[in-house]
Amino acid sequence: MSHKRSGLLPGLIAGLVATLVCAAGLGFAVLFQDRLPRAVATLGNGHALSVTLSLVIALLVALAVGAARPRNRALPVVAALYAAAAVAGGQISGASIMIGAARRAPASGTHSSPRFGDITAANAGEGLPHALAVYREPPAQTWQMWLYIAVAAVAALLLVTLRVLRVRRADRAEPAAETTDEPEQEYRAPFEPAQAPAQQAGGGDLFTPRKPAKD
């Protein structure tokens, strides 16, 4: 039987790609959240939408990590870290651009919504220190952000753990199925030949005279 791969390297690569994509998507959602319907954005004081996005990110990361039939027990932990990083990265990137665009905009009394043109490296660099400073505040004030990160991490951990357990259980069941499908060998006595001797075409017994050979 050939050696089965653990799926660690493909899972790491696919999970990293999914993390970057999810972080970018969440950054867009944070940056343009004011364009969402008010009923959706304010449902549950905004927590319902954020928790839903965290669960979607966890699902996408888990699907990416589990696509290569993972067998390594470390992949669930890696998936949890990937999902947490995707949520944190999306929060930081979206907030950085939003804060940077507001600080670099001309001083005016009117509030302008973020635009696609505001997505620049200059705005991100301007607002990055302020976005990171939020995570240094007491958890009593920033518990919402940590909650969204924890939801994504726990969901990804559970999903990939179930995937790994199913794959490992299927691998253990394959040898048993192969053993069951093998044909049962016919019993032979200790001195019985494996193949019965061929019978003569004449089919006679010892007392039947044989025909003399013709010259």
mmCIF file of all heavy atoms in Angstrom, residues 6 15 36 49 80 113 123 153 179:
data_model
loop_
_atom_site.group_PDB
_atom_site.id
_atom_site.type_symbol
_atom_site.label_atom_id
_atom_site.label_comp_id
_atom_site.label_asym_id
_atom_site.label_seq_id
_atom_site.Cartn_x
_atom_site.Cartn_y
_atom_site.Cartn_z
ATOM 1 N N SER A 6 0.342 13.574 4.321
ATOM 2 C CA SER A 6 -0.361 14.203 5.440
ATOM 3 C C SER A 6 -1.192 15.390 5.007
ATOM 4 O O SER A 6 -2.085 15.817 5.734
ATOM 5 C CB SER A 6 0.654 14.646 6.502
ATOM 6 O OG SER A 6 1.514 15.651 5.976
ATOM 7 N N GLY A 15 -4.468 27.464 2.680
ATOM 8 C CA GLY A 15 -4.975 28.278 3.780
ATOM 9 C C GLY A 15 -4.418 29.686 3.769
ATOM 10 O O GLY A 15 -5.131 30.651 4.087
ATOM 11 N N LEU A 36 -23.899 49.648 3.072
ATOM 12 C CA LEU A 36 -24.807 48.527 3.286
ATOM 13 C C LEU A 36 -26.169 49.047 3.730
ATOM 14 O O LEU A 36 -26.282 50.160 4.264
ATOM 15 C CB LEU A 36 -24.242 47.582 4.353
ATOM 16 C CG LEU A 36 -22.929 46.876 4.018
ATOM 17 C CD1 LEU A 36 -22.434 46.091 5.228
ATOM 18 C CD2 LEU A 36 -23.113 45.949 2.832
ATOM 19 N N LEU A 49 -23.797 41.225 11.837
ATOM 20 C CA LEU A 49 -23.069 41.245 10.565
ATOM 21 C C LEU A 49 -21.612 40.845 10.763
ATOM 22 O O LEU A 49 -21.057 40.065 9.974
ATOM 23 C CB LEU A 49 -23.161 42.633 9.943
ATOM 24 C CG LEU A 49 -22.386 42.842 8.640
ATOM 25 C CD1 LEU A 49 -22.894 41.902 7.557
ATOM 26 C CD2 LEU A 49 -22.485 44.293 8.185
ATOM 27 N N ALA A 80 -7.072 27.670 12.577
ATOM 28 C CA ALA A 80 -7.564 28.650 13.550
ATOM 29 C C ALA A 80 -6.727 29.926 13.510
ATOM 30 O O ALA A 80 -7.266 31.043 13.560
ATOM 31 C CB ALA A 80 -7.549 28.039 14.948
ATOM 32 N N SER A 113 -18.074 59.859 2.434
ATOM 33 C CA SER A 113 -17.916 58.410 2.538
ATOM 34 C C SER A 113 -16.646 57.980 1.816
ATOM 35 O O SER A 113 -16.207 58.629 0.858
ATOM 36 C CB SER A 113 -19.132 57.715 1.925
ATOM 37 O OG SER A 113 -20.318 58.094 2.609
ATOM 38 N N ASN A 123 -2.636 56.370 2.322
ATOM 39 C CA ASN A 123 -3.700 56.395 3.329
ATOM 40 C C ASN A 123 -3.544 55.254 4.330
ATOM 41 O O ASN A 123 -3.772 55.432 5.535
ATOM 42 C CB ASN A 123 -5.063 56.309 2.655
ATOM 43 C CG ASN A 123 -5.432 57.586 1.923
ATOM 44 O OD1 ASN A 123 -4.921 58.660 2.246
ATOM 45 N ND2 ASN A 123 -6.302 57.477 0.934
ATOM 46 N N ALA A 153 -11.664 31.936 14.775
ATOM 47 C CA ALA A 153 -10.647 30.941 15.124
ATOM 48 C C ALA A 153 -11.279 29.644 15.613
ATOM 49 O O ALA A 153 -10.887 28.546 15.189
ATOM 50 C CB ALA A 153 -9.711 31.512 16.187
ATOM 51 N N THR A 179 -9.139 -6.305 3.049
ATOM 52 C CA THR A 179 -9.024 -7.647 3.617
ATOM 53 C C THR A 179 -10.314 -8.430 3.455
ATOM 54 O O THR A 179 -10.320 -9.631 3.189
ATOM 55 C CB THR A 179 -8.651 -7.552 5.103
ATOM 56 O OG1 THR A 179 -7.455 -6.775 5.226
ATOM 57 C CG2 THR A 179 -8.435 -8.925 5.697
#
